[in-house]
Amino acid sequence: MKLAKLSLAAMVVAGLASSSFAADTLADAFKQGSVTGELKAYYFSHDDDSMDRADIFSTGIMLGYKTASFYGFSLGLTAQGSASPFADSDGKAYYNGDMYGSGAVLSESYLAYSAGKTTAMVGRMFLDTPLVSGSGSRIIKEAFEGAAIINTDLPNTTLIAGYVQKFQSRTDRDGNVGKFTRKSVTTNSSVNVDINDGVYTFAAINKSIPGLTLTGAYAYAEAFDTIDVNIAYVEALYEGKAGEIGYTLGVQDYYNAFDNAGTPDDTINLYAVKAGLSFKGINGTVAFSQVSDDAVVGNAIASGLGNGADLLYTDPVIAMNGYNRDTKSYLIDLNYDITAAANIGARYVLAEMGTGIDKDVSSTAVYGTYKFDAALKGFSLGAQYEKQGQDGDGDDVWVKANYKF
């Protein structure tokens, strides 16, 4: 479900497919360029036993422009802006890390070159690879500064190599939109990575066997200035159909090795499995994951760089971390495609957290989305409600309205 979001590779395929529409002059490349945009209005609310309810309403805009190809070269630019005009002190304090950050940022400014089945990109960009990926679940989408090369010469195979030197988060945690920095790139765990020496990543995605997608990825970065982190990820995902019944089987594994100033590596591992069935719009999934009981920096698996590098099968809808040391997680999800445009669902996740925490945490959620058509084509609505804690000690509400043009 989540690995179908390799937008960088999709961008390359789209660019190669459109190469026959290349411009004859540099002026034509700009004249024949394409403009895209998105308007956003999100309402988030949170309540738990340790605080009064905090909520925030934020609006945002994203504008992008990409030139036509000129001798294989193209230029891409995307700017984002955010504002929270009615935010109170509680909302500002609670959401300062992801939703409260006013201002604008040039998130994409890249030069791309395509030759044959290879595309290279340099500059600021929205990366979406297995282990280096920016999240777009908030008003401001995360971005990276660096370079990437994508190749599809091998049959049914996509190869990706990337280097990242800066990260643009959602906010700067001080009331402003996120800016590009070398410090504290999130890893979906308690480990934040400083990228003074850069982050390297490689990935291979193969679909040679019908229905089977094999993924392997590796990332290397420096954490805490003196500790290097090596992140590896593999997945085998099979999707098939027997008559009107669709089915999915998947297995994934994360592996981290931390090297502290030349001392022997501390390692930690996470594996997960899932199975799913679908029939006439009814979709069900069960999944299980387990993190090994190994003491490492942060006592958790680092799942990658950026909040989008979060592929764990047992993830809840909104908020709970299954990457912690010595944690077993169980997921049940049932959803229904009412129409091609409307979906509703419910999800339950239980995490049995061991060493250092020694408690169970649960998440019960309902969610729904609707995509409009005709006069409102491009407009979509989504809503999510989640109750956290086996004793019901917290809840979140997210409501999102998006219009893409």
Side-chain angles (χ1 to χ4, degrees):
M1 177 177 67
K2 292 185 178 179
L3 204 51
K5 65 183 185 78
L6 293 171
S7 63
L8 181 61
M11 180 192 306
V12 173
V13 173
L16 294 171
S18 62
S19 60
S20 59
F21 301 101
D24 294 325
T25 68
L26 182 59
D28 287 341
F30 283 91
K31 291 177 183 178
Q32 297 171 16
S34 58
V35 176
T36 59
E38 184 175 3
L39 301 176
K40 309 176 185 182
Y42 293 178
Y43 172 78
F44 283 21
S45 174
H46 174 81
D47 185 27
D48 64 49
D49 292 344
S50 67
M51 58 177 285
D52 295 329
R53 180 169 293 277
D55 57 9
I56 195 168
F57 173 74
S58 295
T59 59
I61 184 171
M62 180 186 291
L63 291 174
Y65 171 77
K66 183 180 179 181
T67 67
S69 177
F70 179 65
Y71 290 99
F73 288 95
S74 60
L75 173 70
L77 302 167
T78 302
Q80 298 185 86
S82 173
S84 305
F86 311 114
D88 59 19
S89 58
D90 290 336
K92 292 176 181 179
Y94 185 78
Y95 290 104
N96 75 325
D98 62 347
M99 285 287 286
Y100 180 65
S102 299
V105 59
L106 183 63
S107 295
E108 286 197 306
S109 178
Y110 64 84
L111 181 67
Y113 176 72
S114 295
K117 295 183 178 181
T118 300
T119 293
M121 303 172 65
V122 179
R124 296 178 174 183
M125 63 192 81
F126 294 135
L127 283 177
D128 209 348
T129 72
L131 295 180
V132 178
S133 179
S135 169
S137 64
R138 309 300 199 272
I139 286 289
I140 295 295
K141 185 175 181 178
E142 297 170 338
F144 295 88
E145 179 182 289
I149 300 175
I150 307 93
N151 177 271
T152 56
D153 275 312
L154 296 177
N156 303 304
T157 301
T158 298
L159 301 176
I160 303 171
Y163 169 79
V164 169
Q165 65 177 13
K166 288 185 180 181
F167 171 70
Q168 174 239 299
S169 60
R170 296 153 170 164
T171 77
D172 69 353
R173 296 185 177 272
D174 196 28
N176 305 301
V177 71
K179 300 297 190 294
F180 284 86
T181 177
R182 296 177 182 271
K183 298 290 186 179
S184 296
V185 182
T186 182
T187 63
N188 272 306
S189 76
S190 55
V191 178
N192 282 334
V193 172
D194 291 343
I195 55 177
N196 293 317
D197 295 331
V199 176
Y200 301 86
T201 187
F202 306 93
I205 302 145
N206 179 270
K207 297 184 178 182
S208 297
I209 300 174
L212 178 64
T213 300
L214 299 174
T215 300
Y218 169 80
Y220 164 85
E222 181 180 288
F224 304 119
D225 292 325
T226 61
I227 301 175
D228 299 332
V229 57
N230 297 271
I231 307 170
Y233 175 80
V234 293
E235 181 190 36
L237 181 66
Y238 184 80
E239 297 176 292
K241 200 163 187 180
E244 294 187 89
I245 299 177
Y247 58 92
T248 300
L249 298 171
V251 58
Q252 62 182 183
D253 188 274
Y254 283 97
Y255 174 82
N256 286 182
F258 296 87
D259 183 4
N260 187 358
T263 62
D265 288 352
D266 291 327
T267 63
I268 189 170
N269 185 76
L270 180 159
Y271 77 89
V273 294
K274 75 173 180 178
L277 291 174
S278 61
F279 177 73
K280 293 185 177 181
I282 301 173
N283 313 288
T285 301
V286 294
F288 169 79
S289 66
Q290 181 168 2
V291 185
S292 61
D293 184 14
D294 294 301
V296 295
V297 176
N299 284 318
I301 283 280
S303 62
L305 287 300
N307 282 294
D310 182 10
L311 306 175
L312 185 60
Y313 292 158
T314 54
D315 265 353
V317 171
I318 294 180
M320 191 171 72
N321 195 317
Y323 296 103
N324 290 296
R325 169 189 178 190
D326 193 22
T327 295
K328 296 179 181 179
S329 298
Y330 308 82
L331 174 145
I332 300 175
D333 184 281
L334 184 65
N335 64 84
Y336 176 54
D337 298 320
I338 303 172
T339 67
N343 173 271
I344 58 172
R347 181 177 300 182
Y348 176 77
V349 178
L350 173 65
E352 298 176 346
M353 309 174 85
T355 306
I357 300 176
D358 195 24
K359 69 175 181 179
D360 295 346
V361 181
S362 66
S363 159
T364 304
V366 293
Y367 57 89
T369 59
Y370 186 80
K371 297 180 180 179
F372 291 81
D373 204 348
L376 293 177
K377 186 175 182 179
F379 180 57
S380 63
L381 285 174
Q384 302 166 338
Y385 171 78
E386 183 172 276
K387 194 80 169 178
Q388 296 106 20
Q390 287 189 295
D391 297 325
D393 57 0
D395 66 77
D396 284 274
V397 177
W398 290 6
V399 180
K400 300 180 179 181
N402 297 68
Y403 175 64
K404 296 182 179 180
F405 57 91

